[in-house]
Structures are given as structure tokens and as C-alpha cells.
Amino acid sequence: MFRNSNKKESKVLLTRENSVVLARLALVEFGYDPETVDLQFVKMRENTVFRAETPDGSIALRLHRPGYRTHEEVKAESDFIDLLSREGFPVVHLVEAANGHRAVTVSDGETEVIVDAQRWLENSRQLGQTEGAEEASPLLPEHFETMGALAARMHNVAERLGGAGKFPRVPWDCEAIIGPDALWGDALSAPGLDAGATGQLQRAREIMRDQFKAFGTEPSVYGVIHADFTPENVLVSGDEFVVIDFDDFGDGWYLFDLSTVLFFFVENELYPDYREALLRGYRTERDLSQHEEQLLDLFLLARGFTYLGWAATRPETATAQFLIAEIVPLVVRMATDLGAE
């Protein structure tokens, strides 16, 4: 859902107008005549996405935010998706450019972007939403059971890789999640925090550091993770579930993926059922110790820290306003509870 806002990036921002120009330039690199392709705008959040109706079928063109990812990082994402696909894990199909690469660089003379493409999953929908998820949700416990099983299958592949450090990506380690220089920003700088709340977060941060250190980074608990594994990033087409948006993937604790599934549903009245179903689904594919289950609340708080950090670095956005209004109070309560234990 949200992206690393703490990197040094280009100050050039995409607009709706120049992104259309860049998307058409990218179509040429993928072997299509832009004059014969119907290009439909899908969304502009961190990356910009278009749907292109080509003679070979529909594809999704993704324009990466200028300066956000290197070619090496984008290639790493494609390599991991390929690996998952070879292991039978349900992911989107990548599209090769005319030069045989999975991503191209295009420029309109002022803005340069990296673009990759994926096959469009026809007649699909997102499994669920995150913003507003504390309200009445169409998601059922069985959906969380499915997500638990998917997460476990993905983590099984990651563990077979032999541990961390297999891909050139920034890891989701302790400092990257909750530290003052965290990937998405410092949670303690989030708008809406008074001195008391900041103090609670600071105390919680020190407790989490100690517990993460004690938990360790053995391959059985720490490896390649999705890092944005929300119901928004699972597509449903008939009886088929497909995981998308690996833009944030990297090394991290497997529990971080499980906390991401659950975080926006903590205040939903069905949360106990969702949580139980998620863990039940996970255990159908992979062991999860009682100790790991007990640590899930710690990782839920850590996940909340990342969203506060995001709000701190993007306070002017609509998403940040949602986070400030709805998530800041929740995370402060969770931090207070941790400090009171």
C-alpha cells in the first residue's frame, strides 16, 4: 500500500499528462505501436499504472516513481516473482520488452522513468480494502485463512532460498521498521502526537528493539518477505487468488507479513475470527510456534510504526490524513499497552 519515502529521490514528479506520454514511449519498447493500443489510466499513487489493450491481450504498465528504484532493484523484484512462479506460487505473469529485459527506461526529455509490464488478470477484483477496514467488511474469516496459507507458501519458498541477502533490496530489519531513520520515516515525527504519546512510542521502541534482538534472524523466522501483504494486493478471479505488488519486497521477519495482513482490521468486530483464521491457514502450510504466535502483537505494533512514519513524511496526502485520524491513536494505545506489560 505505502512506499519507502525516506530514500533520496528525484524531485521530478509525474503528472497525469506526462505519464501518458511516457507510457506510450514504453509501449514502443515493449514492441507495440502506441497508435493502435487503447491506453487506460488506472491509478497514480506511488507508482503510476495504466492498462494497455494490446493485440496480445491486456497488460498493466507500471511507471516507477522517478528516482525511487534502480534497475537492479526492479530486476530483483522480477527475479523473485519468477522464482515464485516456478515454485507454483500464484503471481502475475511478467511481460518481456522487445530487448528481452523485464524493464525499460524511457524519457520525454525532462522526466526519466523505469517501466515494467505484467499481464492483466481479467475479471479480477481486490480481495479487500485497507482504509476504512475497521468498519463493516465484506471479508470473511475464510479469506484470511486463504491469505495465511498463501503467506506460508511464500515463506516456504523464501526459506528454501537459504536465508537473507539473496536480492539487492533494503531489508526490513529492526531499524528499518521502527528506528528514527526507518524506511518510511520516523514514527515519532508523525503529526498528531503530543509529548505523552511520543514518550509511549519511545518506550515501546526500546522494548521492541530488545525483543527483536532476542527473536533473532535465523532462516526459519527471517528471509524474503512481501512486506505489503494486504488484501488489496491479492486479486481474485473466480476461484483463483493471485498475489501482486512486490514493490516493497525484501528481507525481513515472516511475522511482519502476517502483521501486515491483520493490521488494518485490529478494530474490526471480526478481528478475533480473522486472526484465528489467518494463523490456521498459515499452519496448514508451515509450522508456527506458540512463541511466534505470541510475538504477533509485537509485530502488529511495529507495522503500525511504519504507517506513522509514512504519515510523517507525506502529511499533505489524503492517505496521511487517514493515518493521522485513524491509525495514530490506535498505535499509541498499542504502544501504551506494551509499555504497561
Side-chain angles (χ1 to χ4, degrees):
M1 179 181 175
F2 309 114
R3 301 291 183 263
N4 171 4
S5 302
N6 211 33
K7 283 188 175 183
K8 184 178 180 180
E9 301 172 25
S10 167
K11 298 300 182 181
V12 178
L13 298 177
L14 290 180
T15 66
R16 184 77 168 263
E17 292 71 22
N18 72 347
S19 64
V20 171
V21 173
L22 292 163
R24 293 196 178 280
L25 291 170
L27 283 171
V28 175
E29 298 298 322
F30 281 92
Y32 299 111
D33 179 357
E35 298 302 320
T36 63
V37 172
D38 179 23
L39 194 65
Q40 304 166 16
F41 175 81
V42 177
K43 67 177 182 179
M44 178 180 285
R45 187 180 278 173
E46 297 302 318
N47 299 320
T48 301
V49 178
F50 288 90
R51 176 172 177 163
E53 305 289 349
T54 78
D56 302 321
S58 299
I59 64 173
L61 283 178
R62 180 175 58 162
L63 282 63
H64 291 260
R65 189 167 73 246
Y68 179 59
R69 294 288 185 206
T70 66
H71 261 285
E72 184 180 40
E73 290 173 321
V74 174
K75 182 180 183 299
E77 180 183 351
S78 298
D79 289 345
F80 184 53
I81 292 172
D82 272 341
L83 175 62
L84 289 171
S85 180
R86 292 196 301 272
E87 293 283 336
F89 187 81
V91 289
V92 292
H93 297 290
L94 302 172
V95 178
E96 285 190 355
N99 62 7
H101 296 158
R102 292 288 175 69
V104 298
T105 299
V106 295
S107 173
D108 61 4
E110 295 183 359
T111 305
E112 182 177 277
V113 295
I114 299 172
V115 184
D116 55 15
Q118 302 166 351
R119 290 292 171 199
W120 194 272
L121 184 62
E122 298 292 347
N123 303 314
S124 64
R125 60 176 176 82
Q126 290 174 314
L127 180 61
Q129 299 291 320
T130 52
E131 294 186 21
E134 76 283 354
E135 302 168 358
S137 170
L139 286 169
L140 301 173
E142 48 260 43
H143 294 135
F144 284 83
E145 188 168 357
T146 296
M147 289 196 71
L150 286 171
R153 288 174 58 193
M154 184 166 50
H155 297 161
N156 283 338
V157 174
E159 187 172 7
R160 284 198 294 274
L161 289 175
K166 303 299 181 182
F167 296 97
R169 303 283 287 210
V170 179
W172 291 92
D173 58 17
C174 180
E175 291 307 310
I177 296 172
I178 65 172
D181 294 318
L183 289 179
W184 287 356
D186 183 7
L188 274 63
S189 299
L193 296 175
D194 58 23
T198 301
Q200 294 292 352
L201 293 176
Q202 181 62 54
R203 283 190 287 275
R205 173 185 278 171
E206 296 310 314
I207 294 171
M208 284 190 286
R209 279 197 178 111
D210 290 342
Q211 295 200 25
F212 287 151
K213 182 178 180 180
F215 187 40
T217 56
E218 293 299 315
S220 61
V221 299
Y222 186 95
V224 184
I225 61 173
H226 185 285
D228 195 14
F229 194 49
T230 69
E232 283 188 345
N233 287 329
V234 177
L235 298 184
V236 183
S237 180
D239 295 330
E240 182 181 10
F241 292 83
V242 175
V243 180
I244 64 170
D245 197 356
F246 287 81
D247 193 31
D248 288 307
F249 102 98
D251 294 336
W253 285 284
Y254 300 133
L255 283 175
F256 194 59
D257 271 344
L258 294 184
S259 70
T260 303
V261 178
L262 287 173
F263 181 82
F264 285 99
F265 300 89
V266 166
E267 296 193 303
N268 189 292
E269 62 180 9
L270 291 177
Y271 173 71
D273 296 329
Y274 289 165
R275 180 178 176 133
E276 180 182 356
L278 178 75
L279 298 179
R280 183 171 61 249
Y282 195 86
R283 286 187 167 116
T284 63
E285 300 285 343
R286 180 178 173 83
D287 289 339
L288 186 74
S289 70
Q290 290 299 316
H291 177 56
E292 288 173 284
E293 183 174 342
Q294 292 166 1
L295 285 176
L296 185 55
D297 286 333
L298 189 76
F299 279 91
L300 282 165
L301 176 55
R303 181 79 266 190
F305 262 61
T306 68
Y307 295 132
L308 265 60
W310 200 96
T313 57
R314 300 292 182 85
E316 73 286 353
T317 64
T319 296
Q321 293 305 310
F322 160 75
L323 293 171
I324 293 165
E326 303 292 338
I327 303 306
V328 167
L330 170 63
V331 175
V332 172
R333 288 199 302 272
M334 294 169 73
T336 302
D337 290 344
L338 178 65
E341 292 179 356

